[in-house]
Amino acid sequence: MQIFPFCPNPHCVWHLKAPAHPWARPKGFYTTKAFGRIRRYQCPACHTTFSSQTFSLAYYVKRPLPLADILARLSSGESLRAMSRNLSVSLSLLSNRIERLARQALALHATCLAGRIGYDDICIDGFVSFDTSQYFPSEIPIALTAHSQFILDFSHASRKRSGSMTPSQKAKAGMLYRRTCLERGALSRSFRETLLQALTLQPPTLHHPFVLITDEKPDYQRILYALPAFRHQTETHRIVHWTVNSKLPRTLSNPLFASNYIDRELRKDLAHHHRQTVCFNRNVAQGMLRLSLYLCAHNYCKPFRIGVRKVQQPQSHAEAAGVPASMVSYFVENLTDGIRAFFSRSKLSVMMQRTWEKRWPTPGKTTPEYVPKYARA
Ligand SMILES: [Zn+2]
């Protein structure tokens, strides 16, 4: 008999922890075109029926696709439409698989974050791109470790276009901003929540003060100085703010190297963040899911350094940041072929939850995003 790790019903007593012995009762079969004859089971505690497909990344899928191939294409600058042409699949089907992969990556990243042992300085900087049109620039503050370039968390803020504009551009901007409701203080909110999450993941201790490295933007200082954790810091819980002039050469010796590095990687590797592109984000929620998939793959699947001596070199950014090698292998093995991550069982941060549930608003869009029922369980 097949042993299932937990009951898929989020309201069941066996959802978080199920008995170690085989507990699922066989209850008939059903047939699918994609996977053939599949056995159905029933939970004795809540009487919910399910099958091995319920725990699979291919749950409800009518056409299996190579998920590892999709991830490789997404992370190497291939646009969504190019991917859909090359794989001969529709755009919506492709988006569905990317969403599944992104949710899986977020849940696994949250698990690995909890098991991280290392300590490092934290760089936070806003990556600037745009959604729907150049009139709606976005700023994505990313918190990452300074010496290992390991992404901890990230947020998103939409803002108005700044800089010089022609009279016709000004007229168009005025018309767009009159009918679009943008969040007030979004930039401060996004930086604050990223900083708070970094502080939660790596609180200051006696031997390791929390060192935050940012550029000289006055807003960053204002937000940090207003935090209770900063105002009431003690000898044993020190928070240090290190500001770096953004005109300094973007070399390895620059304290903000990690932020500059990830900016460059995102610009190079993701089609919707290229400069002067027509592949920009049409939908913020889906763009954030793609971004989280890319950043998680960067943490766990990409080599830490190439072109330097490989002796005693950590294999991935996660390992360099203090995530045990066994957890990195766990991430890699389960990303495209493992037990499907459940929202109710994942320890996600506020921003990760928003990404998972597609709650990032798109400028000009008022209807909520569609999230399948299985993704909410
Ligand atoms: Zn149950």
Side-chain angles (χ1 to χ4, degrees):
M1 186 187 279
Q2 201 162 350
I3 299 178
F4 295 100
F6 55 89
C7 172
N9 175 10
H11 306 294
C12 177
V13 286
W14 289 354
H15 182 57
L16 294 178
K17 197 168 190 289
H21 59 81
W23 50 272
R25 271 193 221 127
K27 195 178 169 65
F29 291 87
Y30 70 98
T31 312
T32 65
K33 277 187 183 172
F35 302 100
R37 195 164 182 250
I38 292 170
R39 180 153 225 168
R40 199 190 294 278
Y41 294 86
Q42 188 174 40
C43 168
C46 67
H47 305 293
T48 298
T49 58
F50 58 90
S51 72
S52 53
Q53 282 300 103
T54 315
F55 296 92
S56 160
L57 267 171
Y59 184 48
Y60 259 106
V61 157
K62 305 290 180 282
R63 181 178 166 187
L65 283 184
L67 296 179
D69 186 28
I70 292 177
L71 173 61
R73 286 168 185 271
L74 181 85
S75 315
S76 50
E78 198 166 323
S79 71
L80 283 189
R81 278 177 199 277
M83 253 192 271
S84 111
R85 279 192 298 273
N86 294 339
L87 294 169
S88 306
V89 296
S90 70
L91 210 54
S92 58
L93 191 145
L94 186 63
S95 300
N96 173 280
R97 300 304 186 271
I98 291 174
E99 284 181 23
R100 284 169 189 260
L101 272 172
R103 291 196 177 100
Q104 187 76 358
L106 281 173
L108 291 170
H109 176 50
T111 308
C112 293
L113 272 178
R116 180 177 164 237
I117 305 158
Y119 211 96
D120 201 349
D121 301 344
I122 302 294
C123 293
I124 303 184
D125 197 22
F127 173 75
V128 178
S129 191
F130 66 94
D131 308 307
T132 68
S133 89
Q134 296 266 22
Y135 290 95
F136 295 105
S138 61
E139 206 157 314
I140 301 168
I142 302 174
L144 74 170
T145 54
H147 297 98
S148 45
Q149 294 94 50
F150 175 70
I151 314 291
L152 298 176
D153 216 328
F154 53 96
S155 185
H156 178 280
S158 291
R159 61 173 168 85
K160 290 181 180 175
R161 181 176 172 170
S162 55
S164 57
M165 285 186 269
T166 63
S168 65
Q169 284 174 334
K170 270 185 194 161
K172 187 171 178 189
M175 189 258 297
L176 280 171
Y177 298 147
R178 268 194 299 280
R179 66 181 190 202
T180 310
C181 181
L182 288 178
E183 180 195 348
R184 286 177 73 90
L187 290 181
S188 305
R189 185 263 307 149
S190 63
F191 176 76
R192 190 182 305 110
E193 60 190 11
T194 313
L195 173 58
L196 283 173
Q197 180 59 13
L199 268 167
T200 309
L201 290 170
Q202 214 183 261
T205 61
L206 177 62
H207 300 293
H208 297 286
F210 181 89
V211 180
L212 171 70
I213 310 173
T214 67
D215 60 22
E216 290 171 332
K217 214 172 181 181
D219 280 358
Y220 293 161
Q221 197 177 52
R222 178 179 57 79
I223 293 162
L224 176 68
Y225 286 16
L227 286 187
F230 185 87
R231 289 196 346 242
H232 307 305
Q233 60 180 297
T234 57
E235 287 278 309
T236 52
H237 294 83
R238 215 22 109 213
I239 298 181
V240 182
H241 189 202
W242 184 357
T243 54
V244 179
N245 189 314
S246 46
K247 286 183 182 149
L248 281 179
R250 300 189 157 205
T251 55
L252 198 58
S253 54
N254 186 325
L256 254 184
F257 168 76
S259 293
N260 298 332
Y261 163 79
I262 203 67
D263 274 23
R264 186 196 69 190
E265 293 295 284
L266 288 176
R267 203 68 82 193
K268 165 173 77 67
D269 287 343
L270 285 179
H272 52 283
H273 293 307
H274 287 168
R275 289 244 180 245
Q276 302 294 335
T277 181
V278 290
C279 306
F280 52 86
N281 276 340
R282 267 78 175 171
N283 183 296
V284 176
Q286 285 188 2
M288 287 296 279
L289 277 164
R290 285 196 293 274
L291 182 68
S292 36
L293 175 56
Y294 173 80
L295 290 177
C296 290
H298 159 88
N299 276 348
Y300 300 93
C301 308
K302 224 176 190 182
F304 173 56
R305 287 266 192 281
I306 53 168
V308 291
R309 281 176 55 206
K310 294 266 167 81
V311 184
Q312 291 180 332
Q313 189 72 20
Q315 292 297 307
S316 60
H317 297 91
E319 258 183 89
V323 177
S326 58
M327 295 199 90
V328 177
S329 311
Y330 166 78
F331 181 100
V332 175
E333 282 160 18
N334 286 277
L335 180 60
T336 54
D337 185 25
I339 291 180
R340 179 169 68 91
F342 281 65
F343 183 71
S344 46
R345 290 174 50 90
S346 307
K347 293 182 174 63
L348 304 172
S349 70
V350 177
M351 292 161 283
M352 289 182 192
Q353 284 181 19
R354 222 177 281 152
T355 307
W356 182 296
E357 296 182 301
K358 294 170 78 173
R359 283 190 280 117
W360 297 104
T362 302
K365 191 171 185 231
T366 49
T367 49
E369 299 294 333
Y370 169 69
V371 181
K373 201 177 164 190
Y374 67 79
R376 293 188 188 277

